[in-house]
Amino acid sequence: MRITVFGAAGNVGSRVVAEALSRGHEVTAVVRDAARFAELDPAALARTGDAGEPEDVVRLSKDQDLVISATRPAPGREGEFAATTRALLAGLARTGVRLLVVGGAGSLTVPGTGGALVTDDPAFPAGWRPIAEACGEQLAVCRADTAVDWAYLSPAALLEPGVRTGGYRLGADELLVDARGESAISMEDLAVALLDEAERPRHHRARFTVGY
């Protein structure tokens, strides 16, 4: 496949690029600043572009099979996230390319709570709330779109660099927890799940989640 990855130099984006390349896909790795080209896998095609600019999205998605968005707003600019997602969808509506979005876990429901969200927990870290709420808005933007074949991946509650095991469980809108009540996934295995979805699409205009 020919895959464009926005946010390709980020923690998740870089692992998505690595996973896609390891499977033999052609990857266009997109960053906003050419100064970050040195951080990209040399096997990928490095390009500059902004997911928040529809013309950039059109230019970088034309003739591709898939676009993956792994972007994150800078701290203090979380309010721009929804607008960026609208622009991304607007550009892809013009090229007809499928979109996979790496989102957030905050809008998942917590098992056994009757539908309470992860962010409803009083113990939810205050420092994470701005990006969690921005991801919730991002999901709402996706759900309102009917022009693009999109899928939105919410990770487990704890998403950290780790090891690639190749194993994970799939869910829909409820947080996945293990036998100890913990919810986690490594960034490496999140990339595995994302590329599995890319190669064998199971979710269309829907959110799904992964965890151990």
Side-chain angles (χ1 to χ4, degrees):
M1 298 174 69
R2 298 182 302 275
I3 301 173
T4 293
V5 179
F6 285 94
N11 283 329
V12 171
S14 61
R15 287 164 172 82
V16 169
V17 170
E19 181 67 25
L21 289 170
S22 75
R23 299 185 186 207
H25 300 298
E26 270 181 39
V27 178
T28 298
V30 183
V31 292
R32 287 190 294 179
D33 186 353
R36 302 198 71 182
F37 279 179
E39 302 172 42
L40 300 175
D41 191 309
L45 182 64
R47 290 287 185 267
T48 57
D50 188 340
E53 296 291 339
E55 293 302 327
D56 282 2
V57 175
V58 170
R59 171 173 58 86
L60 293 161
S61 67
K62 186 179 180 182
D63 300 323
Q64 299 293 86
D65 298 304
L66 175 71
V67 167
I68 296 175
S69 176
T71 65
R72 277 292 179 272
R77 302 182 66 174
E78 292 87 356
E80 301 173 7
F81 210 18
T84 296
T85 305
R86 287 190 191 94
L88 179 61
L89 288 164
L92 292 177
R94 293 164 56 184
T95 60
V97 176
R98 176 166 161 78
L99 172 66
L100 296 183
V101 178
V102 179
S107 57
L108 293 167
T109 58
V110 179
T113 63
L117 302 182
V118 171
T119 52
D120 292 336
D121 187 336
F124 188 82
W128 294 359
R129 193 165 296 279
I131 186 60
E133 292 177 349
C135 287
E137 293 170 1
Q138 178 192 43
L139 175 59
V141 168
C142 289
R143 283 177 165 164
D145 182 88
T146 58
V148 176
D149 181 11
W150 59 266
Y152 186 100
L153 173 55
S154 285
L158 183 62
L159 176 65
E160 291 184 330
V163 297
R164 183 192 187 281
T165 70
Y168 60 87
R169 290 185 295 141
L170 276 173
D173 293 310
E174 186 175 87
L175 186 73
L176 292 175
V177 297
D178 63 17
R180 296 175 296 179
E182 297 175 354
S183 176
I185 189 81
S186 72
M187 292 179 180
E188 288 77 6
D189 281 335
L190 184 81
V192 171
L194 200 65
L195 267 296
D196 285 351
E197 174 67 24
E199 294 173 349
R200 297 179 296 278
R202 299 173 60 179
H203 303 89
H204 299 276
R205 297 195 182 113
R207 187 255 291 278
F208 66 108
T209 187
V210 295
Y212 293 131

